[in-house]
Amino acid sequence: MNYKELSELIYPSLPHTAEEYEAMYPPRDLPEGAMVTRLGPSPTGFIHLGNLYGAFVDERLAHQSGGVFYLRIEDTDDKRYVENAVETIITSLGFFDIRFDEGATLTGDIGDYGDYTQSHRGDIYQTFAKKLLAEGLAYPCFLSEEEISVIREEQESQRLSPGIYAGWSKYRDWDKDPEIASEVETRIKAGDPFVIRLKSKGVPNATAEETKRHAVTDAVRGELSVPDNFLDVVIIKQTGIPTYHFAHVVDDHLMRTTHVVRGEEWLPSLPIHIELFEDLGWELPVYCHTAQLMKIGEDGNKRKLSKRKDPELSLDFYRSEGYHPAAVREYLLTILNSNYEEWRMENPEADSDEFRFTTEKMSSSGALFDLDKLNDVSKNTLLHIDSRELAEWLKGWSEEFAPEYAYVFKDMDHLAEILDLGRHDARPRADLVYARQIMGFIGYFFDEAFKVEDEFPAEAAADAEAILRAYLDSYDHSDDNEQWFGKIRQIATDLGYAAKPKDYKKNPDDYKGHVGHVSTVIRIALMGRAQSPDVWAIQQIMGEEMVRERLEAAIRNS
């Protein structure tokens, strides 16, 4: 039995040859320099910030070069598959306005290079595994878990690198021993379980001088010197399903991926992937190994974001809290490219897509994620979104994540007016951060959410009822801001309060307090809070009826 006969024995009736698949997935007709990128999440039920981080890099590289960005579902790890996880992936990425040109969608695939779900591509992987078998570059291995454990113990005792490689599997060189060749043939025909391993070319346990190395240009890290692979890694599991190593190489070639963006945790696997591309006779894509997302821990030191410790690692956190996609995208650019913030200062009104993103400006030593900074970025980003557009976005968020706020959206014009409060001042108010916070922030405009959260200031608490009665008696909804505040100043002086805070500060024994304490009593009666935007402007939005009702209720309760 030769290599070709072995490949036919294992895969006797595949629908297409390797050459036919090459013709079915031809090189893409794209402009010179156009990049083809992909996002390949696993449907494990947890879609995280790292996925979004990588997706943003993929999208920017593809779209600003006139290329293609596609979504591929990498579900070859059937043990980790979670029901409905694919839907979660697609909806989560859609929430953040990640725009795919091709790939898996909720209603089926879009594009000519699918199927875009790896579990649907079994014949393709087997075809290329057959090619490697026929060329003597892969072999079937019948080692049991018990046998592999014994091998591992022996390697440990000899202080050798762990794994299956030259000298540790009798099936590796089956063609050199007629007895083993006969065993292989017999066991395949009998249906015994086996895996297919790559027959690596590297020298195991070699010295640094003996190890062959490959020069690879990483788009983020520059020139890398990568050692030869010496591990006979599994490329097809006993189930017939490919491993990630093999599946992604086959798919990236056939889908004509030019740039592979992935985390630095895949760097140790790069030798395996280089060998697979070489054995299959394919050009290596440009790898972009991004830095891991870090945060400052309680001890003041950097640490990796943790699924267990950090809820902000999950995209569900940002969706349920209601971070606007524009704010998240804006923030990610600040940690993706070191020159983005300078560009934004020079172009405050420009669309972020106008920024020229480059992998050369990405950090290779750990990207620092800071939730407080995201909140600050979000405040400024929301300032530049039209209030009506923001209102519609909040409504969509509420329908999906917080239907208890339905009352907020009964009058969308009224909501837009509320959201616009203070945004066009000389120094615009940046109070809005994310949807759930916004619902709390504007709650006092709605009777369903209004509650008194703060106490009257101590300086004016004894006079609270008198202040509110005087204010209600003098209230005229048509007063302009100056007339309105003039009446509050008059109430203050009539009740023994300083007309100006500086007067009270200079002579505190002459006054009960100052006009600010009086106006705070009014503010708390109307808004339930000691801090808020301009009271006069709020009253204009509330309307006279609500203002009077709130004042009367506060008088009854004072």
Side-chain angles (χ1 to χ4, degrees), residues 172-192:
R172 176 184 164 95
D173 297 312
W174 63 269
D175 55 312
K176 295 182 175 63
D177 187 323
E179 284 190 25
I180 298 174
S182 177
E183 179 193 343
V184 167
E185 184 173 359
T186 300
R187 295 187 71 171
I188 291 172
K189 289 178 177 178
D192 289 357

Side-chain angles (χ1 to χ4, degrees), residues 65 78 187 227 245 256 285 356 382 398 454 468-469 510 554:
S65 66
D78 50 341
R187 295 187 71 171
H245 297 307
R256 307 299 171 174
R356 187 70 183 176
L382 295 189
S398 174
D454 295 327
L468 294 173
R469 286 191 182 280
D510 294 346

Side-chain angles (χ1 to χ4, degrees), residues 219-327:
V220 176
R221 297 163 188 276
E223 289 296 320
L224 300 178
S225 178
V226 182
D228 238 359
N229 170 57
F230 66 85
L231 292 170
D232 291 359
V233 295
V234 175
I235 59 173
I236 302 290
K237 294 178 270 192
Q238 287 185 1
T239 56
I241 296 173
T243 58
Y244 167 80
H245 297 307
F246 191 55
H248 102 274
V249 166
V250 173
D251 289 343
D252 281 342
H253 171 70
L254 291 182
M255 295 178 182
R256 307 299 171 174
T257 311
T258 65
H259 289 68
V260 173
V261 179
R262 62 187 188 183
E264 65 182 3
E265 65 271 18
W266 288 106
L267 278 169
S269 302
L270 190 53
I272 297 168
H273 304 154
I274 290 171
E275 182 167 18
L276 282 167
F277 272 102
E278 286 183 347
D279 284 356
L280 289 162
W282 298 334
E283 183 180 350
L284 195 71
V286 176
Y287 282 100
C288 315
H289 288 96
T290 60
Q292 290 183 317
L293 288 172
M294 313 286 282
K295 71 177 291 185
I296 300 297
E298 293 178 1
D299 59 359
N301 296 318
K302 282 186 181 181
R303 65 168 176 81
K304 289 191 295 184
L305 280 171
S306 160
K307 180 178 177 180
R308 183 172 56 85
K309 296 179 181 178
D310 305 308
E312 68 268 31
L313 181 60
S314 170
L315 289 194
D316 282 345
F317 170 82
Y318 303 95
R319 294 178 67 203
S320 64
E321 291 298 286
Y323 281 88
H324 196 284

Side-chain angles (χ1 to χ4, degrees), residues 144-160:
S144 66
E145 288 298 322
E146 293 76 15
E147 290 173 312
I148 291 173
S149 294
V150 171
I151 288 171
R152 189 178 297 115
E153 290 172 6
E154 181 62 26
Q155 288 170 334
E156 288 176 359
S157 70
Q158 297 183 38
R159 296 188 177 182
L160 298 175

